[in-house]
Amino acid sequence: MLRAGDLSMLYENGFLRYISLGDYEIIRMIYHAVRDENWGTLPHKISNEKIEKKDDSFKITYDCLCQQNEISFLWKCIIEGKSNNDITFSISGEALTSFHKNRIGFCVLNPIKNFAGEQCSVTDPDRNRTDSSFPNFISPHQPFENIAQFDWKLSKDSMAILEFEGDVFEMKDQRNWTDASYKLHCTPLSAPFPVLIEKGEQVKQKVSLSLKGDLPIYTSDSDHVSLSIDRHSKKRIPLPSIGLELQQKNRKSDKELALLKQARFTHYRLETHFNQRNWHSHLKKGASIAESLGASLESALFFTENAKKEVEKYVKYAKKYDISAINIYSATHKVTPDELIESVLGILQRNFPDSLIGAGTNAYFAELNKDRVPINWLDFLTYSLNPQVHAFDNPSLTETLEAQGYTVGSARQFSWGQPVHISPITLKPRFNPDATSPLTTKPPRGLPSLYDPRQMSLYGACWTLGSLKYLTEAGARHLTYYNTVGPGGIMMGKKDSPHPQKFRAKAGEVFPMYYVFREVMKRTNGRLLTLKSSHPLMADGLAIEEKETLWLCIANFSHKQQEIEVQIEGTNATFFSLDETNVEACMEDVSNFDNLPKQEIPFDHGVFYLKLLPYALGYLSIKQ
């Protein structure tokens, strides 16, 4: 933790995070990045780091090597924080090899909270000033371009000013990719990319933050997290339909089927690619599994230029199956084209009168936001999401949870009352819709890029709970997550992990996120209440009201033990947690979770007090 006058912030791995006045966050992050020709962010390694820290100022210098495959780029960095609330971040870099890049340099993130809809001003390189405001709903295009200075009010008599040197900056609404921020970045998207940067070429940039005027006084809240029901919201939200994705290899063991049956998912998503020869046999197996589990099928159809013939073949094979939803996609377009919808929609509607039929994108909300489909023809809009388009550490993944709800709220602005389906939701990108050259799915000596070790972790379960919370509270009606089994699933399956050095799951293990889904799906007759957290990046929860009981599942997103205050009226409560002391046993055998000891929690002056270990999930039942 560092201070620059009245400002506090976190220095982490070369970057500044959470620059704040008391509890008022001004900047979410200042960082630099090297983006390759497929928009991949190169990993970086810091050396020669020196930190001079005083009570109200600091100076940090370090070298930063960005290196991957044939790309190598070296930065020399200086960060200074002064007692007068000024912060400067300077970088001077040199290409150690020649390579193609899409962008190199600074990014500055403004948080969404307290900023959406508020006034701001842009000054261009010619010193022309324009007054505007931060987007409320997610902007499909750059809200502001040609930026040399950007400022906004902190109060009636004070403002924050960002100044940029070394390149032209513009703003992007990062919520399009579920980052909870507005991003000011260098190199306009209107400029050609990728561009060759020659060995020896240099890049120099500087970002300066200053505060002007009589600063407001913001106090810092206690580190204790408090959870409470939002009394201003009278909504009782029905739970959405929740399902998983079936892989093309659909065989399941009896144990796997029994575990999936216990979880009582409403549907299973199955992709049908008409350019694959055996699509009809995969469809048959998938429908059989869904039926055996008492669930319906969500059918994701990827049409080629022969859509008319393909839809007729699909009807022939699929008409006898229980299909609750049909997603219309194009094998060659990011967003479903109007002409494809026109060619297949009528045939699907006549032959599947009880199925919901929708379209959108198999990629990110950003694609649908820029290229909107004709909703008046359809029953729903659909898009997928994952939290790792731009950043990959745990705090950044936690930040995306809030933004997931913003995608639903913005989609509902152009869905004209039709439901929003999100399918599928994964921890890692399944493919790169913006790639400009061939990609490898397996880095050297690494885990395939589709998989993340956090899939089998307590943190992965916490992130899943947060995703369910924000998407449901925002009004999503249909959610499809993860695979059923394997490194991208909710359990390992009948074989050990094929990548034991990076993904250490053993055959038969059940991942912690399974216990999020199973316990939520037990309560589908209940109603979700809006639960507020005083520190949502530290801990948050989901609340379901069922008859005279309020059930909460609470996630500790941090690597530290958290004190949780639950400010909810009740007579008594029972509590247990899934945490580092018992998670291995629960992964080995579901009965160990069911037999976890429960403790009575007393109601103490309007509050229930809990302790959650790092990355733990707490389960609390309150009698009302």
Side-chain angles (χ1 to χ4, degrees):
M1 295 299 300
L2 301 171
R3 295 197 67 88
D6 298 310
L7 293 170
S8 64
M9 68 214 72
L10 175 68
Y11 171 71
E12 183 180 65
N13 201 23
F15 304 148
L16 296 181
R17 304 184 78 140
Y18 311 126
I19 301 174
S20 302
L21 270 175
D23 64 354
Y24 186 92
E25 186 181 356
I26 294 174
I27 300 289
R28 174 140 292 183
M29 195 173 185
I30 304 178
Y31 67 102
H32 49 80
V34 176
R35 306 290 298 275
D36 67 19
E37 61 186 328
N38 288 320
W39 293 106
T41 302
L42 267 66
H44 68 279
K45 184 177 181 180
I46 289 175
S47 61
N48 301 322
E49 183 180 50
K50 296 180 181 179
I51 302 175
E52 301 173 18
K53 178 182 176 182
K54 297 181 181 180
D55 289 343
D56 61 355
S57 62
F58 64 89
K59 181 177 181 180
I60 300 171
T61 60
Y62 64 89
D63 297 338
C64 179
L65 180 64
C66 299
Q67 193 169 49
Q68 186 169 287
N69 300 327
E70 78 286 357
I71 301 176
S72 187
F73 192 93
L74 180 64
W75 295 108
K76 292 190 176 296
C77 309
I78 303 173
I79 314 175
E80 291 187 87
K82 298 181 179 180
S83 58
N84 64 351
N85 304 314
D86 285 358
I87 297 171
T88 59
F89 198 153
S90 303
I91 52 177
S92 178
E94 181 179 351
L96 304 183
T97 60
S98 297
F99 60 92
H100 285 89
K101 60 93 176 180
N102 284 352
R103 182 182 299 146
I104 294 179
F106 273 122
C107 297
V108 180
L109 307 182
N110 286 114
I112 304 300
K113 185 180 179 182
N114 299 325
F115 281 70
E118 295 300 312
Q119 292 182 346
C120 61
S121 297
V122 173
T123 303
D124 67 22
D126 295 325
R127 309 312 297 172
N128 299 308
R129 181 182 171 91
T130 303
D131 294 330
S132 188
S133 59
F134 289 91
N136 211 336
F137 295 110
I138 302 175
S139 174
H141 306 290
Q142 288 82 356
F144 310 116
E145 298 176 307
N146 204 27
I147 303 171
Q149 177 180 308
F150 187 79
D151 55 75
W152 63 97
K153 285 190 174 182
L154 297 173
S155 66
K156 181 182 177 181
D157 301 314
S158 63
M159 64 192 309
I161 302 170
L162 279 168
E163 295 177 276
F164 304 97
E165 299 177 27
D167 202 343
V168 177
F169 281 69
E170 63 185 17
M171 178 180 280
K172 181 187 295 183
D173 195 331
Q174 291 280 90
R175 293 175 294 175
N176 278 294
W177 298 269
T178 70
D179 297 69
S181 59
Y182 305 104
K183 181 167 79 173
L184 292 154
H185 64 85
C186 62
T187 316
L189 283 171
S190 57
F193 64 86
V195 172
L196 177 67
I197 182 167
E198 299 280 3
K199 180 179 177 180
E201 192 171 337
Q202 295 188 344
V203 176
K204 293 184 179 182
Q205 292 181 13
K206 182 178 178 180
V207 172
S208 303
L209 172 68
S210 58
L211 307 184
K212 304 297 182 185
D214 295 326
L215 299 180
I217 298 174
Y218 294 99
T219 58
S220 296
D221 287 344
S222 164
D223 287 340
H224 291 297
V225 178
S226 63
L227 298 175
S228 59
I229 299 297
D230 183 1
R231 296 302 176 188
H232 297 292
S233 174
K234 303 296 183 182
K235 293 189 296 184
R236 299 293 190 268
I237 307 165
L239 286 169
S241 56
I242 300 173
L244 299 178
E245 181 154 28
L246 287 172
Q247 302 95 307
Q248 292 290 348
K249 296 179 180 179
N250 287 316
R251 290 186 180 180
K252 301 285 181 290
S253 69
D254 290 342
K255 179 182 178 180
E256 292 161 11
L257 290 172
L259 289 169
L260 291 170
K261 203 162 193 174
Q262 278 188 43
R264 295 187 284 191
F265 291 103
T266 58
H267 64 272
Y268 290 87
R269 182 185 196 262
L270 183 71
E271 291 191 355
T272 295
H273 295 264
F274 292 111
N275 56 9
Q276 294 179 354
R277 196 172 60 183
N278 296 324
W279 64 264
H280 42 81
S281 62
H282 293 313
L283 176 62
K284 181 179 179 181
K285 292 174 185 175
S288 176
I289 290 172
E291 183 180 13
S292 69
L293 295 171
S296 63
L297 202 65
E298 176 192 350
S299 204
L301 308 182
F302 291 81
F303 291 98
T304 72
E305 65 278 2
N306 298 316
K308 273 286 182 64
K309 290 182 179 178
E310 290 163 352
V311 72
E312 290 170 358
K313 288 183 179 179
Y314 176 77
V315 168
K316 175 183 175 182
Y317 286 104
K319 195 172 181 180
K320 55 189 174 185
Y321 302 135
D322 178 15
I323 298 176
S324 57
I326 299 174
N327 302 279
I328 303 171
Y329 299 124
S330 166
T332 55
H333 294 75
K334 292 180 183 180
V335 178
T336 314
D338 293 6
E339 57 270 21
L340 174 58
I341 298 173
E342 290 180 25
S343 66
V344 303
L345 182 61
I347 297 172
L348 292 172
Q349 288 174 330
R350 288 192 297 273
N351 288 280
F352 300 93
D354 298 324
S355 302
L356 296 175
I357 302 173
T361 180
N362 190 43
Y364 311 130
F365 174 77
E367 315 303 338
L368 181 62
N369 201 20
K370 288 184 288 188
D371 187 8
R372 300 173 182 181
V373 298
I375 187 60
N376 53 305
W377 298 347
L378 303 165
D379 297 315
F380 63 87
L381 289 178
T382 183
Y383 56 94
S384 80
L385 64 82
N386 77 82
Q388 296 192 69
V389 178
H390 298 113
F392 320 104
D393 57 281
N394 284 1
S396 294
L397 265 65
T398 303
E399 291 168 10
T400 67
L401 297 170
E402 172 195 8
Q404 292 183 26
Y406 281 109
T407 68
V408 177
S410 293
R412 293 178 72 182
Q413 297 304 304
F414 57 84
S415 72
W416 295 94
Q418 298 290 63
V420 174
H421 289 199
I422 306 174
S423 178
I425 301 158
T426 54
L427 279 184
K428 292 291 288 290
R430 294 167 296 127
F431 61 96
N432 184 349
D434 300 313
T436 59
S437 68
L439 291 162
T440 176
T441 59
K442 186 176 181 180
R445 299 183 302 280
L447 189 67
S449 61
L450 293 173
Y451 305 133
D452 188 322
R454 288 171 288 195
Q455 189 82 23
M456 60 175 289
S457 72
L458 281 166
Y459 177 79
C462 290
W463 187 90
T464 300
L465 177 74
S467 174
L468 284 169
K469 166 202 170 71
Y470 281 98
L471 291 174
T472 303
E473 287 183 355
R477 298 302 308 128
H478 181 100
L479 306 174
T480 306
Y481 286 84
Y482 315 127
N483 293 336
T484 51
V485 300
I490 63 171
M491 63 187 81
M492 190 57 232
K494 55 190 175 185
K495 294 183 180 180
D496 289 345
S497 167
H499 314 282
Q501 297 303 313
K502 298 288 185 179
F503 197 97
R504 299 176 180 176
K506 298 177 182 178
E509 283 189 332
V510 177
F511 301 159
M513 61 177 60
Y514 172 85
Y515 298 109
V516 172
F517 289 120
R518 195 189 71 167
E519 297 306 299
V520 167
M521 295 305 291
K522 284 180 180 178
R523 295 165 173 84
T524 53
N525 292 327
R527 291 292 183 268
L528 195 83
L529 304 184
T530 303
L531 190 67
K532 294 293 184 182
S533 170
S534 61
H535 296 285
L537 298 181
M538 294 167 59
D540 210 335
L542 175 150
I544 298 176
E545 186 179 58
E546 196 174 31
K547 297 181 180 179
E548 296 178 353
T549 300
L550 184 62
W551 178 84
L552 278 73
C553 189
I554 303 166
N556 177 3
F557 295 120
S558 80
H559 64 282
K560 299 178 182 179
Q561 178 173 291
Q562 296 289 346
E563 305 282 343
I564 310 288
E565 299 178 0
V566 182
Q567 301 175 359
I568 296 173
E569 294 291 328
T571 55
N572 59 70
T574 58
F575 171 76
F576 70 97
S577 65
L578 179 65
D579 56 44
E580 60 191 31
T581 68
N582 54 40
V583 66
E584 289 187 11
C586 294
M587 290 173 71
E588 291 173 2
D589 193 328
V590 172
S591 65
N592 290 326
F593 177 87
D594 295 329
N595 294 321
L596 288 175
K598 299 172 178 60
Q599 62 183 111
E600 297 290 326
I601 303 293
F603 188 54
D604 185 1
H605 297 91
V607 178
F608 294 100
Y609 291 95
L610 311 174
K611 288 184 179 180
L612 283 182
L613 291 175
Y615 303 123
L617 285 166
Y619 296 86
L620 183 68
S621 294
I622 302 173
K623 289 290 184 183
Q624 294 188 296

